[in-house]
Amino acid sequence: MRIVVLVKEVPDTYGDRKLDLETGLAERTASEPVMDEIGERALEAAISHADANPGTEVVVLTVGPETAQKALHKGLSMGAMAAVHVLDAGLQGADVTLTAEVLAAAVRRTGFDLVIAGNTSTDGSGGVVPAMLAELLDVPHATGLTRIGITADAVNGTRAVDGGTFEVSTSLPAVASITEALPDGRLPNFKGIMAAKKKPLETMTLADLGIDAEDMSVGRSIMLTIYEKRAREAGKKIIDEGNAGEQLAKFLVDNKLA
Amino acid sequence: MTFPENSVLVLLETSPSGTIAKSADGLLGAAAKVGTPVALVVTSPGKAAKAAAVAGSLGAVYVLTVESLDVETSLTTPVVDALVAAAKQVRPVAVLAAHSLDSREVAARFAIRTGLGLALDAIDVDKDAEGIFARHSVYGGAYNVDSATTVGAPVITVRQGAIDAQAEARRPAVTPLEVTPSGKPSATITGYEEAIVETARPELRGASKVVSGGRGLGSKEGFALVDDLADALGAAIGASRAAVDAGYVAQRHQVGQTGVSVSPQLYVALGISGAIQHRAGMMTSKTIVAINKDADAPIFDVADFAVVGDLFTVVPQLIDALGARKK
């Protein structure tokens, strides 16, 4: 079985994240790019299945600039067997639909029984790529899983929605996404890091995938305007000297909040 | 049946028991602001009439109903098929859906199938001479971005609780919609369990007041302080990821980047240091109050009223003082 895991380079949420007000694009130098944690969890789910089921091949796939290779190297160090990087200047500023089209083409070319992704990234937070990918690949999706079970020919899990939880299952091929309820990704060990250097990392361009990023017949989302909101300023700060609770009650009442 | 030229097709989400989701108010309110709201409700058999009446009371001028057994067993696909059929009839100027997991996945598959552009997680919807566009709040509220789509009607998912606008109640024209199943493969639903609402406390998403607790509460028992203050204020309960990871409270209460984004009138942070991931989910709150024993906690940088002190003395005194003022 071949499992393709989608990973993504994102700005580290521990740092300040900035958008360029001229272009509307992420300022990649503003904060350290890191592999999105949710992708590490998705990869962990795939690798732990592979650990228990010899003959399972795990491939990490990303779409992103050159720096995104770091995320792929980490994935290979964690235990993925191969990596695929879609790298093309034409993808700068790609919207979610184009990104899904590119991923679908790369997944199809790589070959897959199961695709596993995180439910939502920390930067875009759209949370629709897995469903779009499933539509493009013409396979079912089982997404937003807080528990995932993988067998030789099926995937099942628990899908948490606002009003309750669904149990879902589907035969393969399929696309799954998991939430942060799943375990953290393992830390790469020395052996893994050394082994990663010998593993295949394939780079693909839009031309390789037969995708025209400028195709105007398909609806794309475009940015019209962008503005930075004024940063929130700190207000009143008191140190409790025995009556802070009363002062706070007065503040809430005066502001009609209690 | 013909529909007005400015029809906005609104997908209303229903639970398996046929109840219309809370997101419906804001969706129909937004639709009425930019056009004529045409609602689509997809339910299991026998439940559409009631759902349609609710849709009217929330401002739908037209309601298209689909009753299908498939929605009970088949994930997402039956609703996508219904939305495709509805769009074909209505020819809307925009399609709106909630940004919940279920609805955004319907919108995503619908956008791919119809070749329309998708705008995600909008906090508002507006129009200009060029048509309807979406407004988004990104990077935890640090930037506002307006977006439009390039071809045809935009498909817009709307953040739950973000739009206050409400539409006038209507007596809607209700029409059953014929849907030809696409036969697209979908996952099978093998079980459903409705979440049990434990208390009469307001739901976190869309609450006007939120009291959140963090690692500073120290234990599951200590977290009861959050419950007490929430009840004194009539607030919903939130939590930082640290408190959730430590097992003080269930994950559905998590506020932040990977949890629920809230923008209440009042946000009270108890024992929360205020990591940027947490702030991202609450920075758009109107008034922020924070109590923490660490004077350098980053949460204080965004607080309108900050108290450096011990939660376990300040909060009980606050609850007493609020009680005394009510008398």
Side-chain angles (χ1 to χ4, degrees):
Chain A
M1 164 160 38
R2 182 175 293 153
I3 304 177
V4 179
V5 178
L6 308 187
V7 296
K8 187 178 182 189
E9 177 197 72
V10 296
D12 192 345
T13 53
Y14 282 94
D16 272 332
R17 299 176 296 170
K18 289 203 173 345
L19 289 179
D20 186 317
L21 296 177
E22 291 289 321
T23 63
L25 299 173
E27 269 187 32
R28 291 193 179 262
T29 49
S31 64
E32 179 82 357
V34 294
M35 177 168 167
D36 205 356
E37 193 196 291
I38 196 73
E40 294 183 9
R41 289 175 199 256
L43 181 54
E44 180 61 38
I47 299 172
S48 45
H49 178 76
D51 287 345
N53 298 273
T56 308
E57 190 191 356
V58 178
V59 181
V60 277
L61 164 64
T62 199
V63 173
E66 266 171 50
T67 49
Q69 266 196 24
K70 220 176 93 180
L72 293 178
H73 282 300
K74 183 164 187 193
L76 292 172
S77 308
M78 285 170 67
M81 290 93 185
V84 176
H85 185 185
V86 184
L87 172 65
D88 197 303
L91 284 169
Q92 197 182 45
D95 79 334
V96 67
T97 312
L98 177 57
T99 305
E101 285 166 10
V102 171
L103 285 167
V107 165
R108 206 176 266 136
R109 198 175 137 136
T110 305
F112 74 105
D113 296 292
L114 176 62
V115 176
I116 310 181
N119 60 335
T120 177
S121 67
T122 54
D123 59 344
S125 70
V128 293
V129 164
M132 285 186 142
L133 192 56
E135 179 74 21
L136 288 160
L137 294 169
D138 208 12
V139 299
H141 69 258
T143 44
L145 303 182
T146 56
R147 177 191 67 76
I148 185 169
I150 305 167
T151 62
D153 54 7
V155 60
N156 65 72
T158 306
R159 169 181 167 99
V161 295
D162 283 344
T165 52
F166 287 101
E167 291 299 320
V168 295
S169 74
T170 176
S171 57
L172 301 181
V175 175
S177 81
I178 53 97
T179 73
E180 63 173 9
L182 264 77
D184 278 323
R186 62 189 68 184
L187 291 172
N189 58 23
F190 181 71
K191 207 175 128 202
I193 294 166
M194 294 313 287
K197 295 182 177 165
K198 299 198 186 91
K199 291 176 177 172
L201 192 160
E202 191 187 351
T203 304
M204 297 177 186
T205 62
L206 288 178
D208 294 336
L209 295 172
I211 288 180
D212 175 10
E214 311 278 310
D215 179 3
M216 287 301 158
S217 68
V218 184
R220 304 281 184 214
S221 166
I222 50 167
M223 201 181 269
L224 300 174
T225 59
I226 172 170
Y227 66 90
E228 191 165 6
K229 291 208 288 193
R230 234 186 59 185
R232 252 194 120 92
E233 282 166 21
K236 187 176 176 171
K237 188 171 180 178
I238 60 166
I239 293 167
D240 183 27
E241 287 172 343
N243 67 347
E246 279 155 16
Q247 288 190 56
L248 182 49
K250 183 172 184 307
F251 171 83
L252 294 178
V253 170
D254 289 351
N255 287 283
K256 300 191 167 43
L257 293 167
Chain B
M1 177 124 216
T2 52
F3 295 88
E5 265 180 31
N6 67 347
S7 289
V8 176
L9 181 56
V10 181
L11 172 66
L12 299 186
E13 191 171 316
T14 50
S15 73
S17 57
T19 315
I20 290 206
K22 254 180 73 180
S23 52
D25 301 36
L27 286 173
L28 289 165
K33 209 173 82 167
V34 294
T36 304
V38 180
L40 169 66
V41 290
V42 185
T43 66
S44 45
K47 290 174 179 147
K50 198 176 154 210
V54 174
S57 73
L58 297 174
V61 179
Y62 300 84
V63 183
L64 295 169
T65 60
V66 177
E67 293 190 335
S68 135
L69 263 176
D70 292 345
V71 295
E72 292 174 13
T73 53
S74 213
L75 187 65
T76 312
T77 303
V79 187
V80 180
D81 294 352
L83 192 56
V84 170
K88 211 174 250 174
Q89 279 221 0
V90 176
R91 304 184 160 276
V93 288
V95 178
L96 304 187
H99 193 65
S100 63
L101 179 59
D102 278 335
S103 288
R104 73 179 185 242
E105 291 191 333
V106 172
R109 279 192 176 254
F110 169 80
I112 293 285
R113 209 174 291 178
T114 53
L116 294 172
L118 181 61
L120 292 163
D121 198 21
I123 55 162
D124 203 0
V125 176
D126 210 341
K127 66 172 175 186
D128 61 15
E130 305 281 321
I132 292 172
F133 63 90
R135 178 155 296 149
H136 315 262
S137 170
V138 303
Y139 280 178
Y143 299 88
N144 271 2
V145 169
D146 288 347
S147 81
T149 61
T150 52
V151 177
V155 182
I156 303 172
T157 68
V158 176
R159 183 179 295 183
Q160 292 144 281
I163 297 183
D164 293 330
Q166 294 211 348
E168 223 177 289
R170 302 280 184 161
R171 186 167 301 166
V174 181
T175 322
L177 177 70
E178 270 312 309
V179 180
T180 316
S182 62
K184 293 268 180 191
S186 65
T188 308
I189 299 170
T190 55
Y192 176 70
E193 205 171 313
E194 202 153 305
I196 303 151
V197 183
E198 306 146 355
T199 63
R201 286 192 193 109
E203 206 181 306
L204 178 57
R205 210 186 287 279
S208 65
K209 292 177 191 172
V210 175
V211 177
S212 274
R215 181 87 81 182
L217 274 310
S219 66
K220 201 172 177 174
E221 293 69 39
F223 204 86
L225 199 61
V226 176
D227 301 0
D228 294 346
L229 182 58
D231 290 344
L233 289 166
I237 293 194
S240 70
R241 181 165 169 184
V244 170
D245 284 350
Y248 301 170
V249 62
Q251 206 267 334
R252 66 174 183 282
H253 293 288
Q254 185 174 320
V255 171
Q257 191 97 56
T258 47
V260 177
S261 283
V262 296
S263 44
Q265 295 298 314
L266 173 65
Y267 189 87
V268 183
L270 302 180
I272 292 177
S273 64
I276 188 145
Q277 293 95 328
H278 183 77
R279 297 198 329 245
M282 45 69 76
M283 251 178 10
T284 52
S285 305
K286 302 281 183 312
T287 300
I288 297 172
V289 168
I291 309 176
N292 203 301
K293 64 174 193 282
D294 174 10
D296 298 323
I299 191 81
F300 287 149
D301 298 343
V302 297
D304 299 287
F305 195 103
V307 177
V308 183
D310 182 359
L311 289 176
F312 294 95
T313 56
V314 176
V315 175
Q317 188 184 61
L318 169 61
I319 293 170
D320 283 348
L322 290 171
R325 279 168 189 272
K326 270 193 187 137
K327 277 175 199 161

